[in-house]
Amino acid sequence: MKNNLKVQRAKFNLTQAELADRVGVSRQSINAIEKGKYIPSTVLALKFAQVFNTEVESIFQLEKLD
């Protein structure tokens, strides 16, 4: 799964720690998601979309199936 969480954070001028506080996770979780090492739950993805006032699909994209 691809994501542009880091880009969204930059648009809203949020640090990893600030975003983590808003959605109720650790800064390390935000870092792991941005690096693609962790896939967030549906609830967490929805929280990100709410913070950024956008659709989940604009933050997270499935890679193409072959």
Coordinates of all heavy atoms in Angstrom, one line a residue:
M1 N 0.8 -1.2 0.0 CA 0.0 0.0 0.0 C 0.9 1.2 0.0 O 1.8 1.3 0.8 CB -0.9 0.0 1.2 CG -1.8 1.2 1.3 SD -2.9 1.2 2.7 CE -4.0 0.0 2.3
K2 N 0.6 2.2 -0.9 CA 1.3 3.4 -0.9 C 0.5 4.5 -0.1 O -0.7 4.3 0.1 CB 1.4 3.9 -2.4 CG 2.2 3.0 -3.3 CD 2.2 3.7 -4.7 CE 2.9 2.8 -5.6 NZ 3.0 3.4 -7.0
N3 N 1.3 5.5 0.4 CA 0.6 6.6 1.0 C 1.3 7.9 0.8 O 2.5 7.9 0.5 CB 0.4 6.3 2.5 CG 1.7 6.4 3.3 OD1 2.1 7.5 3.6 ND2 2.3 5.3 3.7
N4 N 0.6 9.0 1.0 CA 1.3 10.3 0.9 C 1.0 11.0 2.2 O 0.8 12.2 2.2 CB 0.7 11.1 -0.3 CG -0.7 11.4 -0.2 OD1 -1.4 11.0 0.8 ND2 -1.2 12.1 -1.2
L5 N 1.1 10.3 3.3 CA 0.9 10.9 4.6 C 1.8 12.0 4.9 O 1.4 13.1 5.4 CB 1.0 9.8 5.7 CG 0.5 10.2 7.1 CD1 -1.0 10.6 7.1 CD2 0.7 9.0 8.0
K6 N 3.1 11.8 4.5 CA 4.1 12.9 4.8 C 3.7 14.2 4.0 O 3.9 15.3 4.6 CB 5.5 12.4 4.4 CG 6.6 13.3 4.8 CD 7.9 12.6 4.5 CE 9.1 13.5 5.0 NZ 10.4 12.9 4.8
V7 N 3.3 14.0 2.8 CA 2.9 15.2 2.0 C 1.7 15.9 2.6 O 1.7 17.1 2.8 CB 2.5 14.7 0.6 CG1 1.9 15.9 -0.2 CG2 3.8 14.2 -0.1
Q8 N 0.7 15.1 3.1 CA -0.5 15.7 3.7 C -0.1 16.4 5.0 O -0.6 17.5 5.3 CB -1.5 14.6 4.1 CG -2.1 14.0 2.9 CD -3.1 14.9 2.1 OE1 -3.6 15.8 2.7 NE2 -3.2 14.7 0.9
R9 N 0.8 15.8 5.8 CA 1.3 16.5 7.0 C 2.0 17.8 6.7 O 1.7 18.8 7.4 CB 2.4 15.6 7.7 CG 1.9 14.8 8.8 CD 3.0 14.2 9.7 NE 4.2 13.8 9.0 CZ 5.4 14.5 9.1 NH1 5.4 15.6 9.7 NH2 6.5 14.0 8.5
A10 N 2.8 17.9 5.6 CA 3.5 19.1 5.2 C 2.5 20.2 4.8 O 2.6 21.4 5.2 CB 4.4 18.8 4.1
K11 N 1.4 19.8 4.1 CA 0.4 20.7 3.7 C -0.3 21.4 4.9 O -0.6 22.6 4.8 CB -0.7 20.1 2.9 CG -0.3 19.7 1.5 CD -1.5 19.0 0.8 CE -1.1 18.5 -0.6 NZ -2.3 17.9 -1.2
F12 N -0.4 20.7 6.0 CA -1.1 21.2 7.2 C -0.1 21.7 8.2 O -0.4 22.0 9.3 CB -2.0 20.1 7.8 CG -3.3 20.0 7.0 CD1 -3.3 19.3 5.8 CD2 -4.5 20.5 7.5 CE1 -4.5 19.2 5.1 CE2 -5.7 20.4 6.8 CZ -5.7 19.7 5.6
N13 N 1.2 21.6 7.8 CA 2.3 22.1 8.7 C 2.3 21.4 10.1 O 2.4 22.0 11.1 CB 2.3 23.6 8.9 CG 3.6 24.2 9.4 OD1 4.6 23.6 9.1 ND2 3.5 25.3 10.1
L14 N 2.1 20.0 10.0 CA 2.1 19.2 11.3 C 3.4 18.4 11.4 O 3.8 17.8 10.4 CB 0.9 18.3 11.3 CG -0.5 18.9 11.3 CD1 -1.6 17.9 11.1 CD2 -0.7 19.6 12.7
T15 N 3.9 18.3 12.6 CA 5.0 17.3 12.8 C 4.4 16.0 13.0 O 3.2 15.8 13.2 CB 5.7 17.7 14.1 OG1 4.9 17.6 15.2 CG2 6.3 19.1 14.0
Q16 N 5.2 15.0 13.0 CA 4.8 13.6 13.3 C 4.1 13.5 14.6 O 3.1 12.9 14.8 CB 5.9 12.6 13.2 CG 6.4 12.3 11.8 CD 7.5 11.3 11.7 OE1 8.1 11.0 12.7 NE2 7.7 10.7 10.5
A17 N 4.7 14.2 15.6 CA 4.2 14.2 17.0 C 2.8 14.8 17.1 O 1.9 14.3 17.7 CB 5.2 14.8 17.9
E18 N 2.6 15.9 16.4 CA 1.4 16.6 16.4 C 0.3 15.8 15.8 O -0.8 15.7 16.3 CB 1.5 18.0 15.7 CG 2.3 19.0 16.4 CD 2.7 20.2 15.6 OE1 2.7 20.2 14.4 OE2 2.9 21.3 16.3
L19 N 0.6 15.2 14.6 CA -0.4 14.3 14.0 C -0.7 13.1 14.9 O -1.9 12.7 15.0 CB 0.1 13.8 12.6 CG -0.8 12.9 11.8 CD1 -2.2 13.5 11.6 CD2 -0.2 12.5 10.5
A20 N 0.3 12.5 15.5 CA 0.1 11.4 16.4 C -0.9 11.8 17.5 O -1.8 11.0 17.8 CB 1.4 10.9 16.9
D21 N -0.7 12.9 18.1 CA -1.6 13.4 19.1 C -3.0 13.5 18.7 O -3.9 13.2 19.4 CB -1.1 14.7 19.7 CG 0.1 14.6 20.6 OD1 0.4 13.5 21.0 OD2 0.8 15.7 20.8
R22 N -3.2 14.0 17.5 CA -4.5 14.3 16.9 C -5.3 13.0 16.7 O -6.5 12.9 16.8 CB -4.5 15.1 15.7 CG -4.1 16.5 15.9 CD -4.4 17.3 14.7 NE -4.0 18.7 14.9 CZ -4.2 19.7 14.1 NH1 -5.0 19.5 13.0 NH2 -3.8 20.9 14.3
V23 N -4.6 11.9 16.3 CA -5.2 10.7 15.9 C -5.1 9.6 17.0 O -5.7 8.5 16.9 CB -4.8 10.1 14.6 CG1 -5.1 11.1 13.5 CG2 -3.3 9.8 14.6
G24 N -4.3 9.9 18.1 CA -4.2 9.0 19.2 C -3.3 7.8 19.1 O -3.6 6.7 19.6
V25 N -2.2 8.0 18.4 CA -1.1 7.0 18.3 C 0.2 7.6 18.6 O 0.3 8.8 18.9 CB -1.1 6.4 16.8 CG1 -2.4 5.7 16.5 CG2 -0.7 7.4 15.8
S26 N 1.3 6.8 18.6 CA 2.6 7.3 18.9 C 3.2 7.9 17.7 O 2.8 7.6 16.5 CB 3.5 6.2 19.4 OG 3.8 5.3 18.4
R27 N 4.2 8.8 17.9 CA 5.0 9.4 16.8 C 5.7 8.3 16.0 O 5.8 8.3 14.8 CB 6.0 10.3 17.3 CG 6.8 11.1 16.2 CD 8.1 11.6 16.6 NE 9.0 10.6 17.1 CZ 9.7 9.7 16.3 NH1 9.6 9.7 15.0 NH2 10.5 8.8 16.9
Q28 N 6.1 7.2 16.7 CA 6.8 6.1 16.0 C 5.8 5.4 15.0 O 6.2 4.9 14.0 CB 7.3 5.1 17.0 CG 8.5 5.6 17.8 CD 8.1 6.4 19.0 OE1 6.9 6.8 19.2 NE2 9.1 6.8 19.8
S29 N 4.5 5.3 15.4 CA 3.5 4.8 14.5 C 3.4 5.6 13.2 O 3.3 5.0 12.1 CB 2.2 4.6 15.2 OG 2.2 3.7 16.2
I30 N 3.4 6.9 13.3 CA 3.3 7.8 12.2 C 4.5 7.6 11.3 O 4.4 7.4 10.1 CB 3.2 9.3 12.6 CG1 2.0 9.5 13.5 CG2 3.2 10.2 11.4 CD1 0.6 9.3 12.8
N31 N 5.7 7.5 11.9 CA 6.9 7.3 11.1 C 6.8 5.9 10.4 O 7.2 5.9 9.2 CB 8.1 7.3 12.1 CG 9.4 7.2 11.4 OD1 9.7 7.9 10.4 ND2 10.3 6.3 11.8
A32 N 6.4 4.9 11.0 CA 6.3 3.6 10.4 C 5.3 3.6 9.2 O 5.6 2.9 8.2 CB 5.9 2.5 11.4
I33 N 4.2 4.3 9.4 CA 3.2 4.3 8.3 C 3.8 5.1 7.1 O 3.7 4.7 6.0 CB 1.9 5.0 8.8 CG1 1.2 4.1 9.9 CG2 1.0 5.3 7.7 CD1 0.1 4.8 10.7
E34 N 4.4 6.2 7.4 CA 5.0 7.0 6.3 C 6.1 6.2 5.5 O 6.2 6.4 4.3 CB 5.7 8.3 6.9 CG 4.6 9.3 7.3 CD 5.2 10.6 7.8 OE1 6.5 10.7 7.9 OE2 4.5 11.5 8.1
K35 N 6.8 5.4 6.2 CA 7.8 4.6 5.6 C 7.3 3.3 4.9 O 8.0 2.5 4.3 CB 8.9 4.2 6.6 CG 9.8 5.4 7.0 CD 10.9 5.0 7.9 CE 11.8 6.2 8.2 NZ 13.0 5.8 8.9
G36 N 6.0 3.0 5.1 CA 5.4 1.9 4.5 C 5.7 0.6 5.3 O 5.4 -0.5 4.7
K37 N 6.1 0.7 6.5 CA 6.4 -0.5 7.3 C 5.2 -1.0 8.1 O 5.2 -2.0 8.7 CB 7.6 -0.2 8.3 CG 8.9 0.1 7.5 CD 10.0 0.3 8.5 CE 11.3 0.5 7.8 NZ 12.4 0.7 8.7
Y38 N 4.2 -0.1 8.1 CA 3.0 -0.5 8.9 C 1.7 0.0 8.2 O 1.7 1.2 7.7 CB 3.0 0.2 10.3 CG 1.8 0.0 11.2 CD1 1.6 -1.2 11.8 CD2 0.9 1.0 11.4 CE1 0.4 -1.4 12.5 CE2 -0.2 0.8 12.1 CZ -0.5 -0.4 12.7 OH -1.6 -0.6 13.5
I39 N 0.7 -0.8 8.0 CA -0.5 -0.4 7.4 C -1.5 -0.1 8.5 O -1.8 -1.0 9.3 CB -1.0 -1.6 6.5 CG1 0.0 -1.8 5.4 CG2 -2.4 -1.2 5.9 CD1 -0.3 -3.0 4.5
P40 N -2.1 1.1 8.5 CA -3.0 1.4 9.6 C -4.3 0.7 9.5 O -4.7 0.3 8.4 CB -3.2 2.9 9.3 CG -3.0 3.1 7.9 CD -1.9 2.1 7.5
S41 N -5.0 0.7 10.6 CA -6.4 0.1 10.6 C -7.3 1.0 9.8 O -7.0 2.2 9.6 CB -6.9 0.0 12.1 OG -7.1 1.3 12.6
T42 N -8.5 0.5 9.5 CA -9.5 1.3 8.9 C -9.9 2.6 9.7 O -10.0 3.7 9.2 CB -10.8 0.5 8.6 OG1 -10.4 -0.7 7.8 CG2 -11.8 1.3 7.8
V43 N -10.0 2.3 11.0 CA -10.4 3.4 11.9 C -9.3 4.5 11.9 O -9.6 5.7 11.8 CB -10.6 2.9 13.4 CG1 -10.8 4.1 14.3 CG2 -11.8 2.0 13.4
L44 N -8.0 4.1 11.9 CA -6.9 5.1 11.9 C -6.9 5.8 10.6 O -6.7 7.0 10.5 CB -5.6 4.4 12.2 CG -4.4 5.3 12.3 CD1 -4.6 6.5 13.3 CD2 -3.2 4.5 12.7
A45 N -7.1 5.1 9.5 CA -7.1 5.7 8.2 C -8.2 6.8 8.1 O -8.0 7.9 7.5 CB -7.2 4.7 7.1
L46 N -9.4 6.5 8.6 CA -10.5 7.4 8.7 C -10.2 8.6 9.5 O -10.5 9.8 9.2 CB -11.7 6.7 9.1 CG -12.4 5.7 8.2 CD1 -13.4 4.9 8.9 CD2 -13.0 6.4 7.0
K47 N -9.4 8.4 10.6 CA -9.0 9.6 11.4 C -8.1 10.5 10.7 O -8.2 11.7 10.8 CB -8.4 9.1 12.7 CG -9.3 8.5 13.7 CD -8.6 8.0 15.0 CE -9.6 7.4 16.0 NZ -8.9 7.0 17.2
F48 N -7.1 9.9 9.9 CA -6.2 10.7 9.1 C -7.1 11.5 8.1 O -6.8 12.7 7.9 CB -5.2 9.9 8.3 CG -4.2 9.3 9.2 CD1 -3.8 7.9 9.0 CD2 -3.4 10.0 10.1 CE1 -2.8 7.3 9.8 CE2 -2.4 9.5 10.9 CZ -2.1 8.1 10.7
A49 N -8.0 10.9 7.5 CA -8.8 11.6 6.5 C -9.6 12.7 7.1 O -9.7 13.8 6.5 CB -9.8 10.6 5.8
Q50 N -10.1 12.5 8.3 CA -10.8 13.6 9.1 C -9.9 14.7 9.4 O -10.3 15.9 9.2 CB -11.4 13.0 10.3 CG -12.4 13.9 11.0 CD -13.1 13.2 12.2 OE1 -12.4 12.4 12.9 NE2 -14.4 13.4 12.3
V51 N -8.7 14.5 9.9 CA -7.7 15.5 10.2 C -7.4 16.4 9.0 O -7.4 17.6 9.0 CB -6.4 14.9 10.8 CG1 -5.3 16.0 10.8 CG2 -6.7 14.4 12.2
F52 N -7.2 15.7 7.8 CA -6.8 16.4 6.6 C -8.0 16.8 5.8 O -7.9 17.3 4.7 CB -5.9 15.5 5.8 CG -4.6 15.2 6.5 CD1 -4.2 13.9 6.6 CD2 -3.8 16.2 7.1 CE1 -3.0 13.6 7.3 CE2 -2.7 15.9 7.8 CZ -2.2 14.6 7.9
N53 N -9.3 16.6 6.3 CA -10.5 17.0 5.6 C -10.5 16.5 4.1 O -10.7 17.2 3.2 CB -10.7 18.5 5.6 CG -12.0 18.9 5.2 OD1 -13.0 18.2 5.5 ND2 -12.2 20.1 4.6
T54 N -10.2 15.2 3.9 CA -10.2 14.6 2.6 C -10.7 13.1 2.7 O -11.1 12.7 3.7 CB -8.7 14.7 2.1 OG1 -8.7 14.3 0.7 CG2 -7.8 13.8 2.9
E55 N -10.6 12.5 1.6 CA -11.0 11.1 1.5 C -9.8 10.2 1.8 O -8.7 10.5 1.5 CB -11.5 10.7 0.1 CG -12.7 11.6 -0.4 CD -14.0 11.3 0.4 OE1 -14.2 10.1 0.8 OE2 -14.7 12.2 0.7
V56 N -10.1 9.0 2.3 CA -9.1 8.0 2.7 C -8.2 7.7 1.4 O -7.0 7.6 1.5 CB -9.7 6.7 3.3 CG1 -8.6 5.7 3.4 CG2 -10.3 7.0 4.6
E57 N -8.9 7.6 0.3 CA -8.2 7.2 -1.0 C -7.3 8.3 -1.5 O -6.4 8.0 -2.3 CB -9.3 6.9 -2.1 CG -10.1 5.7 -1.8 CD -11.4 6.0 -0.9 OE1 -11.5 7.2 -0.5 OE2 -12.1 5.1 -0.7
S58 N -7.4 9.5 -1.0 CA -6.4 10.5 -1.4 C -5.1 10.4 -0.5 O -4.1 11.1 -0.9 CB -7.0 11.9 -1.3 OG -7.2 12.3 0.1
I59 N -5.2 9.7 0.5 CA -4.0 9.5 1.4 C -3.4 8.1 1.2 O -2.1 8.0 1.1 CB -4.4 9.6 2.9 CG1 -5.0 11.0 3.2 CG2 -3.1 9.4 3.8 CD1 -5.7 11.1 4.5
F60 N -4.2 7.1 1.0 CA -3.7 5.7 0.9 C -4.2 5.1 -0.4 O -5.4 5.3 -0.8 CB -4.3 4.8 2.0 CG -3.8 5.3 3.4 CD1 -4.6 6.1 4.2 CD2 -2.5 4.9 3.9 CE1 -4.1 6.5 5.4 CE2 -2.1 5.3 5.1 CZ -2.9 6.1 5.9
Q61 N -3.3 4.5 -1.2 CA -3.6 3.8 -2.4 C -3.1 2.4 -2.5 O -1.9 2.2 -2.1 CB -3.0 4.6 -3.6 CG -3.4 6.1 -3.7 CD -2.5 7.0 -2.8 OE1 -1.3 6.7 -2.6 NE2 -3.1 8.0 -2.3
L62 N -3.9 1.5 -2.9 CA -3.5 0.1 -3.2 C -2.6 0.1 -4.4 O -2.8 0.8 -5.4 CB -4.7 -0.8 -3.4 CG -5.5 -1.1 -2.2 CD1 -6.7 -2.0 -2.6 CD2 -4.7 -1.9 -1.2
E63 N -1.6 -0.7 -4.3 CA -0.7 -0.9 -5.5 C -1.5 -1.7 -6.5 O -2.3 -2.6 -6.1 CB 0.6 -1.5 -5.1 CG 1.4 -0.6 -4.1 CD 2.8 -1.1 -3.8 OE1 3.4 -1.7 -4.7 OE2 3.2 -1.0 -2.6
K64 N -1.2 -1.6 -7.8 CA -1.9 -2.3 -8.8 C -1.7 -3.8 -8.7 O -0.6 -4.2 -8.4 CB -1.5 -1.8 -10.2 CG -1.9 -0.4 -10.5 CD -1.6 0.0 -11.9 CE -2.1 1.4 -12.1 NZ -1.9 1.8 -13.5
L65 N -2.8 -4.5 -8.9 CA -2.7 -6.0 -9.0 C -2.3 -6.4 -10.4 O -2.7 -5.8 -11.3 CB -4.1 -6.6 -8.6 CG -4.7 -6.2 -7.2 CD1 -6.1 -6.8 -7.1 CD2 -3.8 -6.8 -6.1
D66 N -1.6 -7.4 -10.4 CA -1.2 -8.0 -11.7 C -2.1 -9.0 -12.3 O -2.8 -9.7 -11.6 CB 0.2 -8.6 -11.7 CG 1.3 -7.5 -11.4 OD1 1.1 -6.4 -11.9 OD2 2.3 -7.9 -10.8

